[in-house]
Amino acid sequence: MVQIFHESPSKFGPSVVTIGTFDGVHMGHQQIIRQVVELARENHLNSLALTFDPLPRQVHQPSPGNKLICTLGDRLLFLAALGLDATWVQHYDLDFAALTPKDFVVKCLVEPLQPRIIVVGKDTRFGAQNSGNIVTLTELGAKYGFAVQVVPDIIDPITSKRWSSSWVRRLLEAGNVDQAGYVLGRPHQVRGLVVHGKQRGRQLGFPTANLDAEYVEAIPADGVYAGWVRRAYPHGSNHPTSLEALPAAISVGTSPHFGDVGRTVEAHVLGRSDLNLYGEEIVVQFVHRIRENRAFESLDALLSRMDQDLLETATVLGVPHATRLAPDAVTV
């Protein structure tokens, strides 16, 4: 059972520790975490990742568009799946940011975690005004009894690019969810409650589950995508045992054909007319961008293109083809 600490642990160690924001928990992060877990097992130590909420950039550079790649809850799930013994979520604010490098090491590492090895990237900075670096950490390690293992930049062997959260964000801004999924090691996803929309899709034979696009995660560029809707199973349970995966055509944007304003995420589950997801938290995963959003010359042209979207979605996901539903067959 992975431990999650939201306050300073009490003598968690001796341990192997890594420190980072881990937004998205992409493939580079995953390699570092696996290294921490392996070192801990080899040396009979506990393994822990120290992360932050909110992220430092959200505190120092607040902006409505400063979205996370994933929610804190999903970040913790992704980290736990890599085999860590624990994750510590340190609340980050300006008071915490003002800690000197030495105070940060003593209060957040030495006293609560008893680290024997600290694994960090070569560009790690910490303490007030980011004044601490690898040299600082190594000097403090000699004083307090821990070794510092520096991980060089982790480079993607295919593109020769450095794995990074900023790379993922750029890909999402461009709608390139295929490549974003490659960097993340899984499809990019957003999470939120299903809300009532205009029910226009239902009237056209494409009922959708609607999420508010102003949720906390990074939303891909406007367009139509093939992907999955994942919902907790058993449905409505406070203790779900699994996630049900439903193939879906996903629309992100403002419905330019109808002149709508306000960005939404709408997911149409292929072939299903009986789903009642209102008020339920779901996960929407993006696999492939099918096309950009655009206005059509007529409603018939729009419906024809949406029929094609369903076929392409099914092909991408490798599921049976589904057609538009009869509006009077939609029961919820």
Side-chain angles (χ1 to χ4, degrees):
M1 182 69 177
V2 179
Q3 298 181 77
I4 305 296
F5 299 112
H6 291 277
E7 296 181 354
S8 178
S10 177
K11 297 182 179 179
F12 170 79
S15 63
V16 180
V17 178
T18 188
I19 309 161
T21 57
F22 305 116
D23 187 22
V25 194
H26 57 64
M27 293 288 282
H29 294 145
Q30 292 170 38
Q31 288 192 38
I32 293 173
I33 297 299
R34 291 191 179 101
Q35 188 170 334
V36 168
V37 171
E38 183 176 344
L39 282 169
R41 289 174 179 169
E42 289 175 352
N43 293 279
H44 306 288
L45 302 169
N46 294 324
S47 58
L48 179 141
L50 171 58
T51 190
F52 307 96
D53 180 56
L55 298 190
R57 64 183 176 83
Q58 294 179 297
V59 173
H60 296 293
Q61 299 173 322
S63 167
N66 203 354
K67 300 294 187 181
L68 302 180
I69 295 172
C70 65
T71 64
L72 173 62
D74 282 342
R75 194 190 332 164
L76 295 177
L77 287 174
F78 298 149
L79 288 170
L82 297 171
L84 288 165
D85 293 312
T87 300
W88 175 9
V89 184
Q90 168 63 47
H91 176 69
Y92 191 94
D93 56 20
L94 293 178
D95 288 337
F96 180 82
L99 288 175
T100 67
K102 179 181 177 181
D103 285 345
F104 169 78
V105 168
V106 172
K107 294 180 179 180
C108 293
L109 300 175
V110 174
E111 291 179 352
L113 304 178
Q114 300 174 285
R116 297 294 178 265
I117 307 171
I118 296 179
V119 180
V120 290
K122 68 177 186 179
D123 57 352
T124 292
R125 310 289 298 207
F126 60 96
Q129 299 181 341
N130 283 333
S131 55
N133 56 24
I134 292 299
V135 173
T136 314
L137 190 62
T138 303
E139 292 172 348
L140 291 168
K143 180 177 181 178
Y144 292 107
F146 60 82
V148 177
Q149 185 158 318
V150 180
V151 179
D153 287 343
I154 301 175
I155 306 300
D156 172 37
I158 295 177
T159 64
S160 298
K161 292 184 178 180
R162 174 179 174 270
W163 299 106
S164 69
S165 299
S166 57
W167 184 15
V168 176
R169 293 188 196 99
R170 289 193 299 270
L171 291 168
L172 294 175
E173 289 171 0
N176 189 349
V177 296
D178 303 68
Q179 184 76 359
Y182 168 71
V183 180
L184 291 169
R186 63 183 179 275
H188 174 63
Q189 67 184 44
V190 298
R191 178 188 296 270
L193 293 177
V194 177
V195 298
H196 287 275
K198 295 182 173 62
Q199 297 192 337
R200 188 183 291 129
R202 172 178 175 171
Q203 296 165 7
L204 299 176
F206 298 93
T208 59
N210 298 268
L211 300 185
D212 184 351
E214 292 304 313
Y215 207 63
V216 296
E217 306 101 323
I219 305 296
D222 290 1
V224 176
Y225 297 84
W228 301 92
V229 166
R230 292 186 175 269
R231 63 191 302 218
Y233 185 86
H235 308 144
S237 170
N238 292 326
H239 303 285
T241 58
S242 63
L243 287 177
E244 180 183 20
L246 304 169
I250 307 158
S251 174
V252 176
T254 59
S255 300
H257 181 82
F258 295 100
D260 290 348
V261 295
R263 202 160 180 250
T264 61
V265 177
E266 304 180 44
H268 168 70
V269 177
L270 302 188
R272 295 291 297 271
S273 61
D274 60 333
L275 289 174
N276 184 359
L277 301 174
Y278 292 122
E280 187 174 323
E281 183 181 75
I282 64 171
V283 170
V284 176
Q285 295 182 318
F286 298 84
V287 174
H288 174 72
R289 192 185 195 194
I290 293 175
R291 63 175 175 87
E292 297 179 349
N293 280 350
R294 65 182 180 88
F296 291 82
E297 63 272 16
S298 67
L299 179 59
D300 286 342
L302 170 64
L303 291 174
S304 177
R305 178 61 249 193
M306 292 173 74
D307 288 338
Q308 184 63 30
D309 294 339
L310 296 186
L311 293 175
E312 293 186 26
T313 295
T315 299
V316 167
L317 300 178
V319 299
H321 288 179
T323 59
R324 190 191 326 166
L325 300 169
D328 57 4
V330 181
T331 58
V332 293

